[in-house]
Amino acid sequence: DIQMTQSPSSLSASVGDRVTITCRASQRISSYLNWYQHKPGKAPKLLIYAASSLQSGVPSRFSGSGSGTDFTLTITSLQPEDFATYYCQQSYSNPFFGPGTKVDIK
Amino acid sequence: QITLKESGPTLVKPTQTLTLTCTFSGFSLSTSGVGVGWIRQPPGKALEWLALIYWDDDKRYSPSLKSRLTITKDTAKNQVVLTMTNMDPVDTATYFCAHRQHQTNNQNWFDPWGQGTLVTVSS
């Protein structure tokens, strides 16, 4: 099975900051990588699919990049509504999720 | 518009079997490439994929839970059912179902998700 890791596990940031979250797969998965945002008590929300495609309706401050084993989610200017936990998920084989990165207020 | 909603017991006893139903609208599970997955989140922990069923009745399970899980579909009722045997307090979690979207290049993702249902395992 392909395992996913994320770093950091948590970070504190301020509104307006640029935030970068890294996801790594245990083997090459081409661009079969998705990113989700999850807030407590809510359904997870798809942000990025196929490593770099922005889901319809998602603000353009979110972007994804990477291929192979290393991937990045970037938020260019953090907004108050962006404080949440972010998960990567590989879709190359069984859809395992990463352990998540919690973004909270500094 | 695609919607999904999970239903089932909120409390189960240890060793019992959990049965959860995902009722959906806005798509058909007989359409090529479509699937429905189950994912859970224990309190304070990460999302964990459990099972996935495809339009052609192909089924996939998390290896760590495979012996305890069964996923089935009722295409006519627009429902997917997940059963998990031998429940334990560590299985306390919010359980989500989600629509598996796909593209012809095999890219696929979960969108949208149901609101989730909290299941507590306690005697």
Side-chain angles (χ1 to χ4, degrees):
Chain A
D1 291 320
I2 300 172
Q3 303 303 317
M4 310 301 294
T5 57
Q6 287 182 234
S7 61
S9 57
S10 65
L11 65 90
S12 296
S14 301
V15 172
D17 283 353
R18 179 184 181 94
V19 169
T20 299
I21 299 169
T22 297
C23 175
R24 176 165 289 175
S26 61
Q27 63 189 72
R28 295 183 66 83
I29 58 171
S30 183
S31 62
Y32 289 88
L33 192 285
N34 308 313
W35 289 97
Y36 301 85
Q37 177 192 66
H38 192 203
K39 298 179 180 179
K42 301 286 189 180
K45 176 185 176 183
L46 176 71
L47 299 175
I48 302 287
Y49 63 92
S52 61
S53 294
L54 189 68
Q55 171 67 346
S56 176
V58 174
S60 58
R61 62 180 180 273
F62 291 92
S63 65
S65 64
S67 183
T69 60
D70 295 317
F71 302 86
T72 299
L73 174 71
T74 300
I75 311 171
T76 52
S77 178
L78 198 66
Q79 298 301 301
E81 60 268 31
D82 300 337
F83 292 98
T85 301
Y86 293 85
Y87 294 93
C88 62
Q89 175 241 323
Q90 63 90 0
S91 56
Y92 184 85
S93 59
N94 283 338
F96 291 107
F97 290 84
T101 296
K102 184 176 182 180
V103 177
D104 60 22
I105 302 172
K106 182 183 286 185
Chain B
Q1 180 193 6
I2 292 175
T3 64
L4 306 97
K5 187 172 184 179
E6 307 85 354
S7 59
T10 58
L11 178 67
V12 297
K13 291 180 166 45
T15 76
Q16 286 187 337
T17 294
L18 171 69
T19 299
L20 293 173
T21 300
C22 176
T23 303
F24 57 85
S25 63
F27 68 96
S28 172
L29 245 184
S30 60
T31 300
S32 179
V34 173
V36 171
W38 283 95
I39 303 100
R40 71 178 179 180
Q41 184 185 39
K45 297 191 176 182
L47 297 174
E48 178 185 18
W49 170 70
L50 301 176
L52 178 58
I53 190 165
Y54 294 92
W55 81 102
D56 60 358
D57 210 35
D58 187 17
K59 301 164 186 177
R60 303 298 166 95
Y61 297 101
S62 172
S64 63
L65 292 166
K66 184 175 183 178
S67 64
R68 299 173 54 205
L69 294 174
T70 303
I71 190 169
T72 60
K73 64 181 175 71
D74 186 328
T75 304
K77 290 184 177 179
N78 281 351
Q79 290 182 331
V80 171
V81 175
L82 181 75
T83 61
M84 181 180 292
T85 62
N86 195 25
M87 293 292 285
D88 183 272
V90 300
D91 297 312
T92 294
T94 297
Y95 288 76
F96 299 94
C97 63
H99 169 255
R100 176 191 182 269
Q101 180 70 52
H102 82 292
Q103 290 181 329
T104 53
N105 60 2
N106 289 328
Q107 290 285 354
N108 61 91
W109 53 88
F110 290 120
D111 181 66
W113 296 52
Q115 63 190 20
T117 185
L118 176 62
V119 178
T120 301
V121 184
S122 175
S123 55

